Amino acid sequence: MKKNDIGVIGMAVMGRNLALNIAKSGYNVAIFNRTINKTKDVMLKCSEKNISPYFLIQDFLRSLKKPRRILLMVQSGQATDDIINVLTPYLNSGDIIIDGGNSFYKDTIRRSKDLLKNNVSFLGVGISGGEYGALNGPSIMPGGQKSAYDIVKPIFKSIASKFKNQPCVAYIGPNGSGHYVKMVHNGIEYADMQLISEVYIILKNIVNYSNKEISDVFDIWNQGELNSYLIDITKNILRKKDHNGDLIDYVLDEAVNKGTGKWTCQDALDLHESLNVITESVFARYVSSLKSQRMLASKILSGPNVSLVSSHKDDFIEDLRKALYLSKIIAYSQGFSQLGSASKKYYWNLKCHEIASIFRSGCIIQADFLNQLVEIYKYDNIIINLLLSPYFQDISKQYQSSLRKIVSYVVKQGIAIPALVSSLTYYDSYRTSQSSANLIQAQRDCFGAHTYKRNDKSGVYHTNWLE
Ligand code: NBP
């Protein structure tokens, strides 16, 4: 009997679409799901000849070519450990487990170590692009043993999205690095989405534009330097109708999250990375989820009346475009700076130009401006901050006053724009040669004898400040 090239476990939306994508690429695929009805449902709906369903894990594993390649597409966390425990007794030396879920990178490091004891390879693979990407071409971020990656590479290259004919997959590095890059990718995604949603609320509440007019603005912006997948889908979302009018007006304003943004921020704190744009974007989702409290507070707490932009609308919208672009650059700078720190801490040797390069198609944060990142990192993989590269320096010089104008105008209107404000705060903090931290050091030394350094001579000092 013909053996399968790969097995996919987990027939929810991502697993089934990846299995179909792999089968479309000409590979024989075995599929398995804990609840057998989902496997039956895939078979009912798919016309691919080279997909075979299995209802017993032993049959599924027996059907695979050796070394066996098993792609897990199950819920991250306990479910992933559970399925690995189910598989472990049947695995042989050389078999490869590929975790394509959004697993926490420290879990990946642990699982990798555990499985290696039995000579089983473990790849922690970030897969981005949602259900559409899974079916038609995702961006793939594989981490783990290079020798195991080389065995699955042909499959990944066939199914990945293509940017100018180049597959959006690149070996990221050892153990948890692939999942780490996916985690930070998701953190950047949170910031990108939050920034776009702040621009939407400004156009709606301050420019007084209809959804159609806002959509038209995004459409125009999408033809320039802001061109990206997220702007493109936003343009389309704002045009979607239902029987009551524009569907967007009926979507409850409570943003949900699955935790990858939170992990990115937690890790940034450990690495001492200033990740304020992404962190504020996570907090913004948390505040949004307090809908009933917000409804109550809206009746109790006061703020200014919104004064609409009536004259110079075009100038205001152009400032808004520049503010969005500069803020987006700052969010990506922060995310990539975090990748640099993690790379140093874990000795991953991350190649930022390759990471930016595989983000250019198939994934949620794909954007034209990633071409700039690729060029910058090709030239200097360890640039201390993207804002210091000649290209982004230039944009910052030209656009910072627009960001400033937008932030000050909108804050005066009492409309919350945490990500735009954080971008400007970061920008100004980063370019300050003399900050207020001297006072913090003095306070620390005053109440806790924590000592301080001086700017006029070397050494460590303590002063009895209150004497
Ligand atoms: P879900 O994250 O909703 O997971 C559902 C799958 O996990 C089902 O197949 C379910 O089997 C299986 N599962 C669970 Br729950 N507990 C299990 C257990 N103890 N043993 C075996 N299987 C178990 O599916 P998804 O949205 O397709 O995502 C799959 C993975 O890909 C996740 O890690 C997710 O974070 C990641 N991801 C998702 C997206 C996206 O856009 N959805 C994008 C990128 C990455 P059952 O049918 O028997 O309950």
Side-chain angles (χ1 to χ4, degrees):
M1 215 177 78
K2 207 165 58 175
K3 293 271 185 183
N4 290 305
D5 298 297
I6 187 166
V8 183
I9 298 183
M11 286 298 114
V13 55
M14 289 297 286
R16 76 167 60 192
N17 280 358
L18 279 168
L20 291 170
N21 186 350
I22 299 170
K24 269 192 297 175
S25 303
Y27 293 97
N28 292 319
V29 186
I31 60 169
F32 177 88
N33 194 70
R34 179 183 62 173
T35 308
I36 61 173
N37 278 347
K38 275 196 191 148
T39 310
K40 287 183 179 164
D41 189 55
V42 176
M43 295 317 292
L44 271 178
K45 290 179 184 154
C46 95
S47 55
E48 299 296 336
K49 296 269 174 294
N50 43 347
I51 290 194
S52 311
Y54 294 89
F55 303 102
L56 274 179
I57 203 77
Q58 294 91 325
D59 294 343
F60 167 85
L61 289 170
R62 228 176 278 128
S63 81
L64 299 176
K65 276 182 195 160
K66 291 194 175 157
R68 290 176 291 191
R69 294 174 277 192
I70 304 150
L71 172 60
L72 308 182
M73 290 309 301
V74 303
Q75 206 172 64
S76 60
Q78 192 56 48
T80 306
D81 280 320
D82 289 348
I83 191 68
I84 291 174
N85 289 338
V86 169
L87 290 169
T88 302
Y90 307 105
L91 296 175
N92 295 328
S93 172
D95 286 344
I96 303 166
I97 297 191
I98 307 151
D99 175 13
N102 277 338
S103 291
F104 185 47
Y105 77 101
K106 287 187 178 167
D107 288 338
T108 304
I109 295 174
R110 168 179 56 81
R111 289 171 188 143
S112 185
K113 267 191 200 150
D114 287 350
L115 285 160
L116 208 55
K117 287 177 197 154
N118 297 325
N119 217 14
V120 170
S121 296
F122 188 68
L123 295 175
V125 179
I127 298 183
S128 174
E131 65 174 308
Y132 179 88
L135 184 62
N136 298 295
S139 169
I140 309 179
M141 300 147 235
Q145 291 107 315
K146 178 74 169 57
S147 52
Y149 170 66
D150 286 339
I151 294 171
V152 297
K153 185 159 75 174
I155 298 182
F156 282 169
K157 283 198 159 182
S158 318
I159 65 164
S161 181
K162 309 289 180 298
F163 181 82
K164 295 187 177 162
N165 286 331
Q166 285 303 307
C168 286
V169 53
Y171 176 68
I172 301 291
N175 55 57
S177 59
H179 277 144
Y180 194 92
V181 168
K182 176 68 191 334
M183 176 187 83
V184 174
H185 161 286
N186 283 22
I188 293 173
E189 180 183 306
Y190 275 59
D192 231 341
M193 292 167 75
Q194 178 64 28
L195 287 165
I196 294 171
S197 78
E198 289 176 14
V199 166
Y200 151 76
I201 208 75
I202 293 170
L203 287 168
K204 182 175 167 171
N205 291 357
I206 296 188
V207 184
N208 205 20
Y209 267 6
S210 67
N211 293 320
K212 164 78 174 61
E213 286 169 315
I214 302 172
S215 171
D216 291 345
V217 169
F218 282 126
D219 194 10
I220 293 166
W221 289 357
N222 205 33
Q223 288 155 40
E225 59 195 357
L226 269 169
N227 177 278
S228 66
Y229 170 77
L230 281 169
I231 297 266
D232 190 48
I233 61 164
T234 305
K235 168 199 89 189
N236 293 328
I237 287 167
L238 292 167
R239 288 179 186 173
K240 188 79 183 172
K241 302 277 178 204
D242 85 343
H243 54 277
N244 293 317
D246 295 341
L247 180 54
I248 188 68
D249 295 333
Y250 296 91
V251 177
L252 186 68
D253 58 335
E254 285 185 9
V256 175
N257 77 95
K258 281 191 169 175
T260 43
K262 178 187 77 177
W263 293 342
T264 313
C265 305
Q266 287 173 328
D267 207 73
L269 288 173
D270 289 341
L271 291 169
H272 294 202
E273 280 290 320
S274 305
L275 199 78
N276 68 337
V277 185
I278 293 174
T279 308
E280 276 298 346
S281 306
V282 176
F283 287 159
R285 290 199 189 188
Y286 293 173
V287 178
S288 82
S289 70
L290 305 174
K291 178 75 175 178
S292 55
Q293 285 188 43
R294 288 192 289 113
M295 296 291 283
L296 177 68
S298 71
K299 295 190 181 76
I300 298 172
L301 304 177
S302 60
N305 291 326
V306 172
S307 87
L308 297 177
V309 172
S310 45
S311 59
H312 306 295
K313 254 187 203 176
D314 289 347
D315 292 344
F316 183 86
I317 292 171
E318 177 58 4
D319 280 332
L320 197 53
R321 184 190 72 78
K322 290 177 175 169
L324 176 59
Y325 191 48
L326 179 53
S327 300
K328 181 183 169 96
I329 290 168
I330 291 169
Y332 280 66
S333 300
Q334 293 183 349
F336 273 77
S337 171
Q338 179 166 348
L339 290 180
S341 293
S343 180
K344 267 189 223 143
K345 178 174 174 182
Y346 293 107
Y347 305 101
W348 282 334
N349 192 21
L350 297 182
K351 296 192 177 54
C352 287
H353 77 275
E354 285 187 354
I355 294 169
S357 152
I358 63 170
F359 285 171
R360 289 184 297 184
S361 181
C363 75
I364 306 296
I365 64 169
Q366 62 187 276
D368 248 18
F369 100 120
L370 285 163
N371 290 321
Q372 298 296 339
L373 266 68
V374 173
E375 292 311 315
I376 293 166
Y377 280 121
K378 249 190 213 164
Y379 179 72
D380 180 1
N381 187 47
I382 52 167
I383 184 164
I384 50 173
N385 191 313
L386 278 175
L387 289 175
L388 300 180
S389 69
Y391 175 80
F392 288 125
Q393 260 183 49
D394 207 38
I395 298 279
S396 308
K397 276 181 203 144
Q398 292 176 51
Y399 289 13
Q400 60 87 21
S401 67
S402 294
L403 176 57
R404 212 171 289 288
K405 270 190 234 164
I406 292 295
V407 165
S408 45
Y409 188 90
V410 177
V411 166
K412 269 197 205 145
Q413 311 308 311
I415 291 175
I417 45 165
L420 286 164
V421 171
S422 303
S423 305
L424 184 59
T425 304
Y426 175 82
Y427 181 77
D428 283 336
S429 310
Y430 189 64
R431 65 180 192 87
T432 299
S433 62
Q434 177 61 53
S435 75
S436 58
N438 50 337
L439 181 57
I440 292 171
Q441 283 301 87
Q443 289 166 335
R444 292 177 71 247
D445 188 50
C446 175
F447 65 68
H450 293 299
T451 73
Y452 61 95
K453 288 183 188 166
R454 297 179 60 104
N455 57 23
D456 57 347
K457 51 188 175 185
S458 58
V460 174
Y461 298 86
H462 169 58
T463 298
N464 189 345
W465 295 85
L466 302 180
E467 200 165 58

